[in-house]
């Protein structure tokens, strides 16, 4: 089969389109004929091995342990392992995989797949698993968003942010999205009640107004974020792609400084590391099928152009998510 393969960490130039063996499915795994795969900053981190924290988490110290890039996928079940009884060849699924999704076939654990939303294309479904579930867990679990609360989403036009705006609205919140000038119309179309253009105003322009602040952008000081929160508000930090050194990059803000500060303030400062599972994929599917949530696709690239897709996402210009079709 054809796949996007890398032998070593580095920029997108290390990626090659190769013919490799089809991955075997274990007893609790599903072999999926990939139709589309999502692209997000996490793919860039796994490609470059930066920050070094990525390597320490078991992804390979000297070279990628999984040499095929891509995690999100949507496709058709080709075969199932002996222990899988509720999915069958021909079923349309979406989720995250173990073997790399920028390939014609990929294997995934059964508990990390769900039936694809019936009202989406494979491309729309492929951009939803990681970003959509992360947004769901930020809104529902970390923040506990309630009806009529004031919620701010920073990075509202991005992969996680575009889902977070819609899910917070589905939970009954009043939502303010933060984005650049050219993305304001998109964020309003997602249901945001107000938009702050960060090129003109800072997020604390309205004072300590927000019950919940979900920051997906990763580069503002904690003191600034806290100024926009109510005295007992909740800050959810998602990722940390911008700034910092080679060891932790921007993740030190969420992993070190926010937990320490939480010990001496009434505000809740939460770091989210999402885990994608079938139950949350099913809940996300219900939101999508109800019309409350629509995945936003920025650009579509063929498999052979996956390096260009990653470069585009790394440049930070994406609106929603980018997708690779197979």
């Amino acid at each position: 089969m054809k796949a996007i393969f890398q032998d070593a960490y580095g920029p997108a130039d290390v990626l090659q389109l190769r013919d490799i063996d089809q991955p075997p499915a274990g007893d609790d795994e599903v072999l999926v004929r990939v139709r589309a795969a999502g692209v997000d900053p996490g793919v860039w981190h796994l490609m470059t091995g930066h920050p070094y924290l990525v390597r320490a988490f078991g992804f390979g110290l000297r070279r990628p342990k999984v040499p095929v890039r891509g995690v999100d996928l949507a496709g058709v079940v080709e075969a199932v392992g002996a222990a899988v009884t509720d999915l069958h060849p021909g079923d349309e699924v979406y989720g995250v995989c173990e073997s790399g999704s920028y390939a014609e076939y990929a294997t995934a654990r059964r508990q990390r797949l769900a039936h694809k939303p019936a009202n989406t294309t494979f491309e729309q479904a492929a951009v939803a698993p990681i970003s959509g579930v992360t947004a769901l867990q930020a809104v529902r679990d970390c923040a506990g968003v309630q009806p009529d609360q004031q919620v701010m989403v920073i990075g509202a036009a991005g992969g996680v942010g575009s889902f977070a705006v819609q899910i917070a609205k589905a939970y009954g919140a009043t939502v303010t999205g933060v984005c650049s000038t050219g993305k304001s119309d998109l964020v309003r179309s997602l249901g945001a009640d107000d938009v702050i253009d960060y090129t003109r105003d800072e997020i604390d322009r309205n004072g300590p107004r927000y019950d919940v602040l979900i920051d997906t952008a990763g580069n503002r000081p904690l003191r600034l974020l806290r100024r926009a929160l109510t005295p007992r508000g909740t800050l959810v930090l998602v990722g940390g792609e911008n700034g910092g050194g080679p060891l932790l990059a921007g993740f030190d803000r969420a992993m070190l400084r926010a937990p320490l500060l939480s010990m001496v303030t009434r505000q809740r400062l939460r770091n989210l590391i999402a885990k994608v599972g079938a139950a949350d994929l099913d809940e996300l599917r219900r939101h999508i099928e109800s019309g409350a949530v629509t995945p936003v696709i920025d650009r579509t690239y063929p498999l052979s152009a996956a390096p260009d897709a990653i470069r585009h996402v790394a440049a930070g210009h994406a609106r929603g998510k980018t997708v690779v079709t197979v």
Side-chain angles (χ1 to χ4, degrees):
M1 69 173 188
K2 294 189 181 300
I4 297 295
F5 193 94
Q6 70 177 110
D7 293 307
Y9 289 120
D13 295 342
V14 304
L15 301 178
Q16 299 176 3
L17 181 65
R18 289 190 189 176
D19 285 307
I20 64 172
D21 292 336
Q22 181 177 299
D27 285 348
D28 66 342
E29 291 184 326
V30 177
L31 178 66
V32 178
R33 172 67 172 93
V34 181
R35 296 286 298 276
V39 187
D40 58 36
V43 174
W44 180 87
H45 288 300
L46 294 177
M47 179 186 73
T48 61
H50 179 85
Y52 294 128
L53 177 70
V54 169
R55 309 185 192 197
F57 278 164
F59 293 105
L61 290 176
R62 302 184 66 179
R63 61 180 59 87
K65 184 178 294 185
V66 178
V68 177
R69 290 282 56 79
V71 181
D72 279 327
L73 64 75
V76 179
V77 173
E78 183 78 9
V80 299
V84 178
T85 60
D86 55 348
L87 286 178
H88 306 90
D91 287 349
E92 297 181 350
V93 294
Y94 81 133
V96 295
C97 71
E98 316 301 319
S99 62
S101 60
Y102 299 167
E104 292 179 315
Y105 293 90
T107 55
R109 292 199 296 256
R110 168 61 189 95
Q111 60 267 35
R112 305 187 81 185
L113 290 175
H115 288 285
K116 181 181 78 69
N119 59 339
T120 64
T121 64
F122 284 106
E123 290 80 6
Q124 289 175 307
V127 304
I130 291 177
S131 293
V133 168
T134 299
L136 176 65
Q137 292 177 2
V139 170
R140 182 195 63 196
D141 302 332
C142 284
V145 169
Q146 302 295 316
D148 299 323
Q149 283 189 320
Q150 293 282 339
V151 175
M152 173 183 284
V153 178
I154 301 176
V160 176
S162 60
F163 280 101
V165 168
Q166 297 178 83
I167 293 172
K169 287 295 296 182
Y171 274 61
T174 299
V175 179
T176 297
V178 179
C179 62
S180 61
T181 306
K183 300 176 182 179
S184 296
D185 289 344
L186 169 63
V187 173
R188 291 188 187 279
S189 75
L190 298 175
D193 301 279
D194 189 19
V195 173
I196 293 177
D197 178 351
Y198 67 76
T199 68
R200 299 175 180 175
D201 293 301
E202 195 44 273
I203 63 167
D204 61 345
R205 71 176 188 186
N206 298 319
R209 171 181 176 181
Y210 299 95
D211 303 292
V212 172
L213 196 159
I214 299 173
D215 182 14
T216 73
N219 59 1
R220 285 178 175 80
L222 291 174
R223 63 181 180 277
L224 173 58
L225 299 173
R226 293 180 60 215
R227 286 205 298 267
L229 279 177
T230 61
R232 294 184 180 274
T234 299
L235 168 65
V236 182
L237 299 171
V238 180
E241 286 77 14
N242 299 300
L247 180 60
L248 294 177
F251 291 94
D252 63 314
R253 183 187 65 152
M255 298 181 65
L256 299 176
R257 287 181 282 136
L260 290 173
L261 190 56
S262 288
M263 300 171 64
V264 295
T265 178
R266 292 181 298 171
Q267 294 171 328
R268 297 195 307 158
L269 312 182
R270 309 289 300 274
N271 173 34
L272 172 61
I273 300 176
K275 295 182 179 180
V276 179
D280 282 345
L281 287 168
D282 282 332
E283 181 168 342
L284 181 62
R285 173 174 53 80
R286 289 189 287 270
H287 281 300
I288 294 172
E289 290 181 342
S290 74
V293 173
T294 300
V296 178
I297 294 176
D298 177 51
R299 295 187 184 182
T300 301
Y301 293 80
L303 180 63
S304 60
D308 293 329
I310 297 173
R311 291 186 187 98
H312 174 67
V313 171
H317 301 311
R319 301 154 64 98
K321 284 190 69 170
T322 297
V323 64
V324 167
T325 57
V326 183

